[in-house]
Amino acid sequence: MERRIPVSVYADDPITRAGLATELRQRAELELVDSLPLGGSAQVVVFALDALTVPALDAIRSVRSRDGAQAVLVVSALSDDELLTVVESGACAVLWRWEATATSLTQAVLRAASGNAALPSDLLTRLLKQVGRLQQHVLRPQGLTLSGLSDRERRVLRLAADGFGTTEIAGELAYSKRTVASVLHDVTVRYQLRNRTHAVAFAIREGLI
């Protein structure tokens, strides 16, 4: 028998919580565990919210950063700003409340447990437009990309990852050694890393280079 996915429910009101718990409890693929996202036993936490409040967002960030669980969000509405906030919080799936049937919710939980994201098509369209505006009006004027690195920073980090020293990187890119050192220092400080080696490892792990 395949392992069941432990899932818990966080809702604004007890009626919604009870209804979702009843639906999820009947699914053979899932195991309903504690009803609060605080115990660390759930692999996926379903958040059913009437409003995207600061405490709710803090709870989503908490289950992601502290417990390592995935978050599925069920909401009635999201503004463009709230959509970006949801993405930033670490939620990997969003369902509209009127589309959250037992089947669709279970599918979202299973996808989340596998580390896959899921958004309604209209939200995906809005998110892509938001990302495009961010790239055009905020990042590009500062010489940055969506990775948070400039083209120069990526070039330096790629060569550092290939084992080039500061002098070799400077010669390869026609930069001064001081410029190369400054680039590596800026990346290290921005991402709160320990040293050059840590910066290279971080950039590789996060897919930035």
Side-chain angles (χ1 to χ4, degrees):
M1 182 177 177
E2 293 186 2
R3 186 179 71 88
R4 301 169 72 193
I5 303 299
V7 56
S8 65
V9 177
Y10 176 103
D12 287 332
D13 65 272
I15 295 177
T16 299
R17 186 184 306 122
L20 288 174
T22 298
E23 293 289 348
L24 294 173
R25 191 177 286 113
Q26 296 173 3
R27 307 298 297 199
E29 310 96 317
L30 309 178
E31 177 188 3
L32 191 68
V33 294
D34 48 47
S35 60
L36 293 176
L38 302 175
S41 58
Q43 186 175 347
V44 179
V45 179
V46 175
F47 290 83
L49 306 173
D50 290 325
L52 202 63
T53 63
V54 172
L57 286 168
D58 287 343
I60 293 173
R61 294 187 182 98
S62 177
V63 301
R64 293 289 295 118
S65 62
R66 186 191 62 197
D67 301 330
Q70 299 289 352
V72 173
L73 180 61
V74 180
V75 291
S76 298
L78 282 177
S79 68
D80 286 348
D81 288 343
E82 288 174 332
L83 176 56
L84 288 178
T85 302
V86 167
V87 172
E88 180 273 333
S89 74
C92 71
V94 177
L95 282 176
W96 292 127
R97 187 179 288 267
W98 60 87
E99 295 179 344
T101 63
T103 298
S104 64
L105 185 57
T106 299
Q107 290 174 345
V109 169
L110 294 176
R111 285 179 61 85
S114 300
N116 296 316
L119 286 176
S121 59
D122 58 326
L123 277 187
L124 181 57
T125 299
R126 286 166 54 190
L127 180 60
L128 291 175
K129 289 181 178 178
Q130 286 281 83
V131 170
R133 287 194 292 268
L134 178 66
Q135 172 74 16
Q136 181 178 356
H137 299 297
V138 179
L139 298 178
R140 189 175 298 159
Q142 300 182 51
L144 299 176
T145 65
L146 287 173
S147 68
L149 297 176
S150 67
D151 289 338
R152 181 171 68 175
E153 288 170 338
R154 289 206 309 275
R155 287 195 293 267
V156 168
L157 285 169
R158 286 192 187 113
L159 290 175
D162 288 338
F164 284 63
T166 300
T167 301
E168 294 170 310
I169 294 173
E172 187 74 18
L173 299 178
Y175 296 160
S176 68
K177 290 192 290 184
R178 181 174 181 178
T179 296
V180 173
S182 177
V183 166
L184 293 170
H185 176 266
D186 288 347
V187 172
T188 301
V189 171
R190 184 186 313 148
Y191 293 102
Q192 299 180 349
L193 306 171
R194 291 188 297 275
N195 49 42
R196 168 185 172 147
T197 301
H198 192 193
V200 171
F202 172 82
I204 294 173
R205 184 175 65 248
E206 296 298 321
L208 301 180
I209 60 174

